Amino acid sequence: MARIKRMGEAYSAGDVIVTVAGMRDVNPDAISYNYKFAHATQQGIRRSPRAWRMGPKTMEANITLPIDVIAEFEKIAPLGDIARIRPFPINVVFFNPENEMIRDLIIAKFTGNSRSVSADEDISAEYELFVLDIQLNIR
């Protein structure tokens, strides 16, 4: 069963639909995405913090996809290299514990390619994404 981790909170993946670059319901084994801001304190004369400020926003995401889905991306990628595909939308739709529909949008691209094969599991691999934007709970 797939795992969804959104901003550090884990959700059940029973009714999750993940659309990657227009390919509907790619059925990932896992997807994780989050963002955070750097924070810093402003020091006073007595060297005690007296104010705070926020720095730049950093975003990260990973997706674990079956090799057959990646093979479809490799067919359209320049020279078969998925890292050369331009940034694309990833839509994640699921219901939270309060039975509200959550729609998240991630604009990202693959950073590279990999393979992972074991004897007792499906053939899939985790892919790191270069994230340009994360929008949570869009309407």
Side-chain angles (χ1 to χ4, degrees):
M1 177 179 274
R3 298 175 308 277
I4 299 173
K5 204 167 183 185
R6 173 188 188 259
M7 300 300 288
E9 184 173 353
Y11 289 88
S12 169
D15 295 316
V16 176
I17 297 173
V18 178
T19 304
V20 177
M23 191 182 301
R24 184 165 163 43
D25 202 8
V26 295
N27 195 22
D29 291 338
I31 184 167
S32 175
Y33 49 98
N34 65 68
Y35 64 81
K36 59 186 171 185
F37 292 91
H39 284 74
T41 57
Q42 181 111 14
Q43 306 297 333
I45 293 176
R46 294 190 178 102
R47 298 186 183 185
S48 297
R50 56 176 243 223
W52 63 274
R53 63 180 179 266
M54 283 179 33
K57 181 179 183 180
T58 57
M59 299 172 280
E60 54 187 40
N62 292 301
I63 189 167
T64 303
L65 291 171
I67 297 301
D68 61 334
V69 172
I70 288 300
E72 294 302 315
F73 283 109
E74 290 172 342
K75 289 177 187 176
I76 62 163
L79 304 173
D81 185 357
I82 63 172
R84 295 177 185 263
I85 298 173
R86 292 184 158 282
F88 48 83
I90 301 171
N91 296 295
V92 181
V93 180
F94 60 96
F95 288 94
N96 70 7
E98 286 80 35
N99 210 26
E100 299 170 324
M101 183 178 282
I102 303 295
R103 291 183 179 101
D104 294 340
L105 173 64
I106 305 155
I107 305 295
K109 68 182 295 306
F110 295 109
T111 60
N113 204 345
S114 66
R115 296 282 195 263
S116 178
V117 180
S118 65
D120 43 86
E121 291 188 21
D122 293 332
I123 300 174
S124 62
E126 182 178 5
Y127 297 91
E128 180 182 340
L129 300 171
F130 176 73
V131 182
L132 298 169
D133 190 24
I134 295 176
Q135 297 176 26
L136 302 176
N137 205 17
I138 60 174
R139 301 281 172 205

